[in-house]
Amino acid sequence: MIFAIEKRGAPSKTFAFTATVLSVLVALAVAGLLLLAAGVNPLAAYRDIVVESLGSLYGLSETLVKTTPLLFTGLAVSLAFRMQIWNIGAEGQLYMGACGASYIALFSGIENHLLMITTMFLAAALFGGCWGGVAGFLRARLRVNEVIVTLLMNYIAILWVDYLIYGPWRDPKGFNFPLTAQFSEAARLSEYFDTRLHSGFFLGLLLALLLYVFMERTIWGYEIKVIGSNPAAARYAGMKTGAAIFLVMFLSGAIAGIAGFSEVAGLQNRLQHGISPGYGYTAIIIAWLAKRSAIGVVIVSFLMGVLLVGGDSLQLIWQLPVAFVYAFQGLILFFLLGSDFFVRYRVRFRRKAA
């Protein structure tokens, strides 16, 4: 017997959705086996995850707080993915956005709240956009692989922020900790319900709605899809593919930069070491799970927020390391990639000819 891989025709949405759901269920099952190996009851652990993240106002608010940066970075990555541009640099773009917003908060001297927040927002978008635009320019002009460029630029951005908070921006009253001085009240986003939930979450929802309309209801959104699916046909039709690649990467970086603004202005109120525990990398999983849909990103970001907050119960109740949560994310991506293969291709076994 021999086997052959054959490409399927255009799969139905129902088949693709079913494959995605099954891949997540298989990831849950495999993670359950790992929990059993660690001496943990999987059903009890999954119940604790849900209760910890959704079972109280505090838990729900913390889940939405975690959802916020995932929402921004997920939208950023999914926008680039629409054009078959693989932006792996949302993490670095988030850091650069936080850097731009923090510069305004620390050194602008603006006292008006609305003006301060608006300027921080624009600075974050500009810093993140320029950081993403570098990869877009290199891809459009020199055909440099954007995966390598965006990945390496993550390290530059993270280390640049570390240089600032260990050096010229370090708070002289911070007992030598790597952080800046606290922002003024004018540079802080509003909080709600006596929790840490802030305006950044609602800004993320608004941005998701705008991006959905932009991608699904505008001519330029249609052009992005065409350029991504068939660049040769797009060029033949007169579309400016180089300019579109640069602009999409700039917008993708800008959205990720806004995630940095949301974190420093809404949650931490200062720039400090490790402002992101990997939101930009998790965004890759989110964008893939959401099938590059803006509305799907909202849903998947919330589910990832549940996993991150609920993962605390695995540490506190079951004494498991936080690495297990990240391993769980990796399992989801692994099986998701497998399901995507079987959505696109089928494996046929044939009897070898004599």
Side-chain angles (χ1 to χ4, degrees), residues 22-39:
L22 287 176
S23 67
V24 174
L25 292 177
V26 172
L28 285 171
V30 174
L33 294 176
L34 295 177
L35 286 169
L36 281 174

Side-chain angles (χ1 to χ4, degrees), residues 13 78-79 82 208-225 290-296:
K13 292 185 177 180
S78 68
L79 173 61
R82 279 294 186 104
L209 177 61
L210 293 175
L211 195 60
Y212 171 78
V213 173
F214 169 74
M215 292 301 303
E216 305 296 339
R217 298 290 186 268
T218 67
I219 295 175
W220 200 66
Y222 173 74
E223 289 182 353
I224 287 176
K225 298 177 187 177
K291 301 300 181 184
R292 295 161 285 182
S293 163
I295 304 302

